[in-house]
Amino acid sequence: MGLPDEPVFLRSNAIIEPLVDRFFAWMHIIAPVQASMNLANLQVPLLESYLQNPQVHLAASRNPALRGGYFVNIEESRSNEVADLLDGIKRDRADMLAFAAAVAEAEAMLEQQATGFDLTPLYPKLPAPLNGLVELAYDTNNQPSMRYIEPLVYTSPVYDRRRQSVQLSLDNGVERPFILSTPRLPMPDVLDLPLRFDHPGLDALFAARTSPTTLAQLREALELDDAQAVQLSTLLSDAPSLSPDRHIESGGRIRYFGHACLVLQTPEAAIVTDPFISTDNRHGDRYTLDDLPDRIGLVLITHGHQDHIVLETLIALRSRIGAVVVPRSSRGNMCDPSIGLYLKAIGFNVIEVDDYDEVPFPGGRVVATPFLGEHSDLDIRAKSTFIVQLAGASAFIGADSSGIDPVLYRYVRSHLGKVDMAFLGMECDGAPLTWLYQGLLTRPVTKKMSDSRKLSGSNAKQAADIMQELDADEAYIYAMGEESWQGHVMATTYTEDTYQLKQINEFLTWCTEHGVTAEHLLNKREWRW
Ligand SMILES: [Fe+2]
Ligand SMILES: [Fe+2]
């Protein structure tokens, strides 16, 4: 690297890994109500279990049959650092741990004392950490519950931005540890910075993918010392690495970037769905951040699962995004954190939508449509599919929505007309309830109950029903977590005779028999008109 004032760009394979208390960050460990529950009920017990027997965790982490399980993949020789992390959490996150304990206490109190009579006398009995942050209510079936007043919780000690930090490094293609379970310790060649996720220095850094800056400017923006500046310089290059065909001059284009990420473009606009994009451009088998247009008008988020709101991609794009369109939550359910509040607190412009709300853009419009199921039957409203109309074509962005009740899609068809292309997720044997939601549950579930409530999208029959009701011409199976660069988030293990792949083949056969063009997407694909 040259002098501090020479023009420089960020290398195309630079990655950011956002961390909270050193765990890879995702919504349920950042949004304060859910983060408190997961910290107390999942992460602290996980670290304690590791410290009792590091060897068991290490062996389990390396056992392919247990991929995606809650095990800490850290060498025993570094267990003292894990012990320090745990001590630090118990000392510095006392407000969060007290909040989670208060939730448990209040739920028990409601179960005993909220018996259909006036709730007013119960407010003084709420544990202090909940005062001013919850409302008590019955549903019309006399079931009591607490509504968390989330905007206030974000301004309370329970939302502590000092938990946040980032690791910057170069993507060398080596698979990273599974995000839900292993805290990220400092590593050589990784720049560890104690920056909050909304820090403007991060925008200055990532803007340098497309326009030049200088090491001196970045050093100031990121508040670096000498050693950190030297380390940062390894992430910089004297030339940008942008694909010449990242913009189009006429018509429309859709590109599949892997998993649930699609880039829909006209000459004037670009829409990106569920951004989760590789930074490793050495292979040619995939689109990477290099292939994105310089400006992204709208990002569409379909739901809150960790493979659909991926902060490592979102933060890297923040300075280029006009607004993020997100489904509105139920405002206060424990299991349904507001995606809008979460992203606003991390520095994004947000547009919240309900079913059938429209967001226009130059040359087209996005319409939010319902999303059914795939959330273990929890009352989660922050989920949406979308219909995007652009350059005379239309695409249904179906994400993991299932065809549990295909009549719903008949309503969508009659309200919005026929769609040309349908993108459907068919993860039809998803993880059980407790895999993702264990930390939030305030009443235990049996294994049998949990296993019966899976995070499943459409099977072959349901996907065919959706196609029939939408009357779409083309079907594309996506969002299956099969791309090689997503292992740290997906933990997918499909083989030829996996149920999901058999169902996909059955659906593809149905499509052939019914004159529907269909394809199972992998890695990359382009449609141009
Ligand atoms: Fe999902
Ligand atoms: Fe998914």
Side-chain angles (χ1 to χ4, degrees):
M1 218 46 250
L3 299 167
D5 293 317
E6 282 177 3
V8 288
F9 293 85
L10 185 62
R11 284 188 190 277
S12 64
N13 64 332
I15 51 174
I16 178 168
E17 295 180 276
L19 309 178
V20 274
D21 286 328
R22 297 226 153 251
F23 281 88
F24 194 100
W26 73 287
M27 185 165 69
H28 282 200
I29 66 163
I30 303 174
V33 172
Q34 294 72 22
S36 300
M37 298 294 280
N38 277 311
L39 189 67
N41 301 335
L42 220 56
Q43 293 168 318
V44 164
L46 176 72
L47 298 179
E48 285 171 341
S49 157
Y50 167 82
L51 289 170
Q52 271 174 10
N53 205 333
Q55 286 303 333
V56 167
H57 277 259
L58 212 54
S61 308
R62 289 166 189 185
N63 180 348
L66 297 174
R67 199 149 179 257
Y70 280 88
F71 304 105
V72 176
N73 185 8
I74 293 178
E75 295 291 345
E76 190 169 7
S77 59
R78 302 192 73 176
S79 60
N80 58 328
E81 294 170 71
V82 178
D84 290 345
L85 173 63
L86 181 60
D87 288 345
I89 287 172
K90 288 182 173 171
R91 182 186 63 237
D92 302 329
R93 312 300 172 225
D95 287 317
M96 297 181 71
L97 298 172
F99 187 89
V103 169
E105 192 185 321
E107 289 282 353
M109 187 268 286
L110 285 184
E111 198 179 330
Q112 288 287 314
Q113 301 183 39
T115 53
F117 292 87
D118 181 14
L119 291 169
T120 313
L122 302 190
Y123 279 84
K125 298 183 181 179
L126 285 172
L130 300 183
N131 292 163
L133 299 178
V134 297
E135 184 177 27
L136 306 178
Y138 293 112
D139 67 13
T140 49
N141 196 27
N142 267 355
Q143 296 297 312
S145 66
M146 280 192 288
R147 177 173 79 83
Y148 300 88
I149 307 175
E150 268 190 291
L152 276 58
V153 187
Y154 272 91
T155 64
S156 80
V158 176
Y159 186 65
D160 185 349
R161 286 187 169 88
R162 287 171 301 183
R163 305 179 72 207
Q164 302 177 357
S165 66
V166 301
Q167 289 189 334
L168 300 169
S169 61
L170 291 175
D171 184 352
N172 55 9
V174 172
E175 186 171 321
R176 289 180 264 160
F178 179 59
I179 64 164
L180 295 184
S181 54
T182 296
R184 314 301 309 272
L185 300 178
M187 283 173 289
D189 303 327
V190 173
L191 179 54
D192 234 295
L193 297 175
L195 299 177
R196 23 193 279 183
F197 301 155
D198 61 349
H199 196 287
L202 296 174
D203 291 327
L205 178 66
F206 288 103
R209 278 183 189 282
T210 52
S211 34
T213 180
T214 65
L215 181 58
Q217 280 172 338
L218 289 177
R219 181 181 172 151
E220 191 181 328
L222 292 163
E223 305 168 48
L224 306 182
D225 64 25
D226 288 348
Q228 290 168 330
V230 169
Q231 208 167 0
L232 182 74
S233 69
T234 64
L235 305 182
L236 305 174
S237 149
D238 53 13
S241 161
L242 299 167
S243 304
D245 67 347
R246 63 194 190 281
H247 302 114
I248 58 171
E249 273 157 27
S250 64
R253 179 171 76 184
I254 299 178
R255 281 177 163 183
Y256 172 66
F257 273 57
H259 198 54
C261 183
L262 298 162
V263 177
L264 303 95
Q265 280 178 275
T266 68
E268 310 82 40
I271 315 290
V272 182
T273 71
D274 292 340
F276 182 10
I277 299 177
S278 176
T279 47
D280 185 355
N281 64 2
R282 299 168 302 174
H283 307 278
D285 64 343
R286 66 191 73 166
Y287 296 118
T288 70
L289 290 183
D290 291 352
D291 297 294
L292 284 176
D294 295 350
R295 286 292 302 164
I296 297 162
L298 298 174
V299 162
L300 310 183
I301 297 290
T302 59
H303 63 301
H305 289 156
Q306 74 281 8
D307 52 321
H308 296 263
I309 306 189
V310 182
L311 275 194
E312 67 178 77
T313 301
L314 281 170
I315 291 178
L317 298 180
R318 188 169 57 201
S319 62
R320 298 156 72 168
I321 296 173
V324 187
V325 178
V326 305
R328 197 187 301 280
S329 75
S330 54
R331 299 180 72 236
N333 274 5
M334 169 60 80
C335 60
D336 190 19
S338 162
I339 298 176
L341 280 173
Y342 165 66
L343 289 180
K344 271 184 222 162
I346 304 177
F348 290 90
N349 296 322
V350 170
I351 300 172
E352 281 195 323
V353 290
D354 280 323
D355 296 334
Y356 287 168
D357 282 350
E358 295 182 23
V359 182
F361 61 84
R365 66 171 182 162
V366 174
V367 184
T369 44
F371 182 131
L372 268 189
E374 207 258 330
H375 288 65
S376 299
D377 298 327
L378 290 169
D379 186 9
I380 291 172
R381 322 281 177 83
K383 52 182 187 174
S384 182
T385 59
F386 297 97
I387 287 179
V388 182
Q389 296 166 334
L390 81 168
S394 63
F396 174 65
I397 312 299
D400 297 330
S401 179
S402 85
I404 311 171
D405 182 356
V407 177
L408 177 144
Y409 298 90
R410 191 178 308 163
Y411 280 100
V412 171
R413 157 94 172 81
S414 71
H415 184 66
L416 293 169
K418 188 174 154 54
V419 294
D420 301 314
M421 309 162 80
F423 292 89
L424 305 175
M426 290 186 63
E427 169 44 289
C428 46
D429 185 25
L433 164 70
T434 51
W435 183 74
L436 203 58
Y437 298 109
Q438 172 80 60
L440 305 183
L441 300 178
T442 45
R443 181 185 293 215
V445 295
T446 62
K447 181 170 185 317
K448 207 170 163 187
M449 202 186 279
S450 172
D451 288 347
S452 83
R453 290 167 56 184
K454 290 190 167 175
L455 292 118
S456 290
S458 292
N459 60 23
K461 166 84 170 65
Q462 292 167 336
D465 287 348
I466 293 175
M467 289 303 291
Q468 217 148 26
E469 295 297 351
L470 284 181
D471 194 21
D473 299 323
E474 299 168 27
Y476 297 100
I477 310 308
Y478 80 141
M480 297 302 294
E482 294 168 287
E483 281 80 18
S484 60
W485 60 92
Q486 299 164 345
H488 59 299
V489 174
M490 299 306 308
T492 310
T493 45
Y494 297 141
T495 59
E496 275 301 296
D497 46 55
T498 302
Y499 175 72
Q500 290 90 327
L501 297 190
K502 285 182 170 170
Q503 287 291 302
I504 288 174
N505 287 333
E506 194 178 316
F507 173 64
L508 293 176
T509 305
W510 180 91
C511 288
T512 308
E513 289 167 2
H514 289 77
V516 172
T517 302
E519 213 176 294
H520 175 182
L521 302 179
L522 182 69
N523 291 346
K524 76 190 277 194
R525 177 76 158 88
E526 179 182 282
W527 300 265
R528 189 76 171 91
W529 67 94

